[in-house]
Amino acid sequence: MDEREDDSEYDSDTELQRAYADGRLKAGLNIEARPPRSFINNVAGMKQKLEEFQRTDLSWFERLDVTAAPISSASEEVVDVEDEFKRELLFYRQAQAAVLIALPKLSQLGLSTKRPEDYFAEMAKSDSHMVKVRAKLQERQQALERSLKAKKLRELKKYGKKVQQEVLQKRQKEKREMLDAVKKYRKGKIEKLDFLNDINEKKTKSAQPKANKRRDWKNQKFGFGGQKKRSKRNTKESTSSSTSSMKKKDNVTGDQFIV
Amino acid sequence: MDRKDKLFVLNEMCEMKNCNKCIYFEGKKKQDLYMWISNVPRGPSAKFLVENVHTMLELKMTGNSLKGSRPILSFDKAFDRAAHHTLLKELFIQIFGTPAYHPKSQPFFDRVMSFSIADGRIYIRNYQIVEDNATLAEMGPRYVLNPIRIFEGSFGGPTLYQNPQYVSPNEHRRAIARKIGQKYKGKLDQKMARELRPDLPSYPSDPLDDVFTTAQSEEAS
């Protein structure tokens, strides 16, 4: 067995050498070529088979088939299959074309294509599933609205900066006017101090204290503000104060010593 | 039906159940789905690879129709060009069409089943007819059929057509794996090539440059 394999190998080698000598082979890596695969395409057989099993006795109503090109496409355009949106649109338009052909045909036959409102029957998708579908649709719509809102806000912010600058400028202008008025008063050009009243009124309005009695009372009771950290420290004041309990104890011990 | 049974058994099963059309789904390796459609007693039959399946359970398919309503079958114009497509069209009409006045069917028409040819494959879409002015809503399922073979008989017999563009999913996966493996192999080959390359001088040098360097001066330096 082995010998025979060797023989065949030897044969192929000599064959190759001969081919090389003849110039049919070139130096380098040579790969054995395979004969091209042949694919069966028996057109005559298929036509015969089609005739054999085709139901020509059935009317169109039994078959309900429509062959149509996609609507609103003048020429047969070649759509890139990888582009999902365009591809799906093409299929959608094809189905639309089919519907536009089939529905008039059906209505000619006196058949209703639309289900009446009061016709209840089992649907392909359950009601609970359709609820989910609707919820999903709504969610998507809301997300879209939210993103639009955010976009608007971003733009408003940009606009808001401009507004802020205007406000600052306005304040500066007011200040300048006020200073001018003060100067004029000093020089005696204006007798009255009305311009001050205007500003005072503004300030009092903005600085009105908010009355929150409950909060005030709590602040009074528990304390508000200031450092609480070292309030219990042993300081000069605390030792000298007579109310301190420590002092009293000291006194007691002192008395004992005396006795 | 047993896994090891020949597909021919299906013909007998159909006969027992009084069926003359059959769709048979075959799952392989838990990842590839094949679909057979057959005209039972005398053929023809076709085998497809089912790709890109989107079921009706997906929430982005918003349409809904009556259960058992008869679909309008919409075909691409390309179905009338090649002989194998014409044959498949007739098979699809007979298999996916619901017979008129079928007891389980509904008397209204509210869905379209669309067959289109693109990229040598058959794209199938299901739409609900929302309005009579052809407003549609996709209701699913959607999938792509990649034809493999058409046989003269039912689940067997001589081959009528063989798709030359068909690449089996196994081969496809192998090609991807090979592509990834190529990267490592390339690196190894490069290393080997570098070792085999003769150490040639990188720039021309004068051999007389080191005439006066003696062993002593080398030691000193």
Side-chain angles (χ1 to χ4, degrees), chain A residues 34-42, chain B residues 148-149 159 161-165:
Chain A
R34 279 186 198 160
R37 255 185 94 185
S38 63
F39 293 95
I40 303 165
N41 189 7
N42 184 0
Chain B
I148 303 170
R149 255 169 208 260
T159 306
Y161 172 78
Q162 213 176 347
N163 185 5
Q165 283 144 18

Side-chain angles (χ1 to χ4, degrees), chain A residues 219 222-231:
Chain A
N219 286 349
F222 302 112
F224 176 73
Q227 201 177 37
K228 289 159 193 80
K229 218 186 215 171
R230 294 178 191 91
S231 57

Side-chain angles (χ1 to χ4, degrees), chain A residues 68-98:
Chain A
I71 54 166
S72 68
S73 66
S75 60
E76 300 223 348
E77 54 205 304
V78 181
V79 168
D80 181 20
V81 185
E82 300 299 321
D83 187 348
E84 192 191 338
F85 181 74
K86 275 188 186 166
R87 185 189 64 206
E88 293 304 321
L89 193 69
L90 188 78
F91 299 153
Y92 182 85
R93 291 210 319 252
Q94 186 207 312
Q96 268 187 327

Side-chain angles (χ1 to χ4, degrees), chain A residues 174-197 199:
Chain A
E174 269 175 16
K175 199 178 170 186
R176 216 185 307 129
E177 274 171 8
M178 152 91 171
L179 285 174
D180 279 354
V182 169
K183 244 183 216 169
K184 275 178 190 169
Y185 175 74
R186 270 190 192 156
K187 284 178 183 172
K189 278 180 186 170
I190 305 171
E191 299 275 301
K192 289 172 187 173
L193 276 168
D194 286 349
F195 61 91
L196 280 178
N197 283 354
I199 294 153

